Amino acid sequence: MSMRTPGAVTIKRPSEIDRMRGAGAILAGILEVLHAELRAGVTTGDLDAIAERMIRDAGAIPSFKGYGTNPPFPGSICASVNDEVVHGIPSPRRRVANGDVVSIDIGCILDGWHADCARTWIVGSAPREVSDLVDATRRGMEAGIAAARPGQRLGDVGHAIESVAREHGYGIVRPFVGHGIGRSMHEDPQVPNYGTPGLGLQIEAGMCFAIEPMFNLGGDDVFVADDNWTVRTSDGSLSAHFENTIAVTEAGPEVLTER
Ligand code: MG
């Protein structure tokens, strides 16, 4: 992957990060509710309706709804079940069952500033190898965030994430990556979930990133389904996805999408 020029990466002022913190707090609260609502028999459309109502009640705008073309994304969340990796379209016909692995991605805009985050949860219980995948994907995100400090490089972030997947032999999704975030949901730079230490853009205080590893129980490969959105594993293996929006401060990374 080619890294774009550092000049295109925006540095946010503290007052701007504060607006993003507000958007992130809305998402953190909604994810707590969605987690509590997730049980066998619930549809991903039910979760989408709850999320959209809560975003709008908070005075924010769902950033996913209407995003893109061919077709515009119809939901306020992405709901990706089992071998679906990311960008699953929520539906009142998609009922989850015990043992399903459900990844919920959500984004909103508050006063023109974005936040974006994702969690993967297991409905009821699942075999140990499944809960291990979910736990490792969260740890991959946390390792990437911990590496996002002033003076480090994006390759350090990607390497930290990749190292967690490698420990377990999980597949790493490469065509979909983290990103800068701010006035737009997707800003420069791209933040791959793999990398070489010491290479890539140098990280500075005021940069804001969405760091979002996707790990597969099987191989790396994925494809986009016929709906033009849903990304699935090529081998049908289970996948997990975690994402936080962070601000880099002089003291290190600050997570904006957790309480
Ligand atoms: Mg994202």
Side-chain angles (χ1 to χ4, degrees):
M1 166 170 316
S2 63
M3 282 298 161
R4 297 177 199 172
T5 56
V9 178
T10 57
I11 302 294
K12 279 79 175 177
R13 292 189 286 267
S15 61
E16 296 172 332
I17 291 172
D18 202 46
R19 314 274 273 283
M20 294 177 66
R21 195 178 283 118
I26 291 169
L27 299 184
I30 295 172
L31 282 172
E32 286 177 11
V33 172
L34 297 184
H35 191 193
E37 292 292 329
L38 182 67
R39 66 181 78 86
V42 162
T43 73
T44 57
D46 295 332
L47 300 178
D48 183 56
I50 292 167
E52 179 170 2
R53 192 187 66 241
M54 290 187 73
I55 290 171
R56 295 194 190 281
D57 284 352
I61 298 166
S63 45
F64 296 179
K65 195 158 187 138
Y67 184 86
T69 54
N70 193 29
F73 192 81
S76 295
I77 62 171
C78 300
S80 307
V81 182
N82 295 335
D83 64 317
E84 297 169 356
V85 179
V86 286
H87 304 167
I89 296 174
S91 165
R93 294 180 304 281
R94 186 66 167 96
R95 205 169 287 285
V96 303
N98 198 34
D100 279 349
V101 178
V102 180
S103 300
I104 301 293
D105 196 341
I106 182 167
C108 78
I109 313 164
L110 183 67
D111 300 330
W113 292 87
H114 285 253
D116 184 5
C117 62
R119 302 285 180 264
T120 296
W121 297 303
I122 294 167
V123 182
S125 60
R128 176 67 183 273
E129 67 166 1
V130 179
S131 54
D132 283 351
L133 171 72
V134 173
D135 292 345
T137 310
R138 172 182 275 282
R139 282 190 288 111
M141 173 187 70
E142 289 168 350
I145 291 170
R149 313 180 69 85
Q152 296 281 95
R153 291 181 181 272
L154 285 182
D156 298 308
V157 173
H159 180 75
I161 295 168
E162 178 179 11
S163 297
V164 175
R166 293 264 171 263
E167 269 172 44
H168 300 268
Y170 295 142
I172 300 171
V173 176
R174 291 166 186 273
F176 297 89
V177 297
H179 47 92
I181 181 168
R183 282 197 180 277
S184 300
M185 179 158 61
H186 296 123
E187 296 186 355
D188 283 342
Q190 295 194 322
V191 183
N193 296 308
Y194 52 90
T196 305
L199 291 188
L201 175 79
Q202 188 160 40
I203 296 167
E204 297 173 35
M207 290 181 179
C208 294
F209 303 120
I211 294 182
E212 51 172 326
M214 292 144 256
F215 292 171
N216 304 334
L217 206 45
D220 294 351
D221 291 347
V222 299
F223 68 100
V224 179
D226 290 342
D227 63 16
N228 275 338
W229 280 107
T230 311
V231 178
R232 309 181 74 146
T233 57
S234 296
D235 58 11
S237 66
L238 299 174
S239 189
H241 176 215
F242 279 83
E243 176 179 27
N244 273 330
T245 294
I246 68 156
V248 179
T249 74
E250 294 294 352
E254 179 191 340
V255 175
L256 304 180
T257 43
E258 280 178 9
R259 294 217 210 235

